[in-house]
Amino acid sequence: MVTATPHGRLTAAEPENAYRCWAAAYPANETRSIPLGAHTTPSPRLALRWLRERTRNITDQLDAAYARPGRHWLNDEPEHERALAILTGGTAYQLTLHDENTRYVLVACPLGVTS
């Protein structure tokens, strides 16, 4: 569905209870982040699925020592249940990974939440 905004621009309408997901890399000594993807989904479970897919993509590209925390998170079912509870409760969930030169931030949040 496409709707008009107050400024007359057309935008795709997002579901009322949608979740926005995004990932970015923050290289050391850089002032700008590098977007690694974004997605809007209608449920917290699908938002968590997106986070898992992006985490898998990122950890697959890291050296083993730096990938270990992300791989642990991928298999941590109690943490996934906690993430679902956080998202369902209306709060953003963030996962941060890093290597020696870059910090990787993955976030899912209900639309309307700014942190």
Side-chain angles (χ1 to χ4, degrees):
M1 173 188 292
V2 177
T3 59
T5 65
H7 303 296
R9 295 181 307 179
L10 296 178
T11 60
E14 294 177 323
E16 187 174 311
N17 295 322
Y19 293 80
R20 185 73 177 152
C21 308
W22 59 269
Y26 295 85
N29 304 319
E30 294 286 330
T31 58
R32 294 180 17 192
S33 64
I34 300 168
L36 300 176
H39 183 67
T40 301
T41 185
S43 76
R45 191 165 300 281
L46 291 174
L48 180 60
R49 181 183 296 173
W50 189 89
L51 288 178
R52 290 175 73 164
E53 290 171 3
R54 294 307 300 153
T55 299
R56 188 171 294 110
N57 292 345
I58 291 168
T59 57
D60 285 349
Q61 297 177 49
L62 297 175
D63 289 339
Y66 295 113
R68 195 171 297 123
R71 290 189 181 133
H72 174 78
W73 183 85
L74 286 168
N75 295 307
D76 189 348
E77 290 301 321
E79 181 61 17
H80 297 163
E81 291 302 318
R82 188 176 88 80
L84 283 174
I86 288 169
L87 291 167
T88 301
T91 303
Y93 180 83
Q94 176 178 313
L95 173 65
T96 303
L97 305 170
H98 69 89
D99 64 16
E100 60 192 35
N101 297 314
T102 307
R103 182 171 43 103
Y104 303 92
V105 178
L106 300 96
V107 177
C109 65
L111 286 177
V113 172
T114 59
S115 61

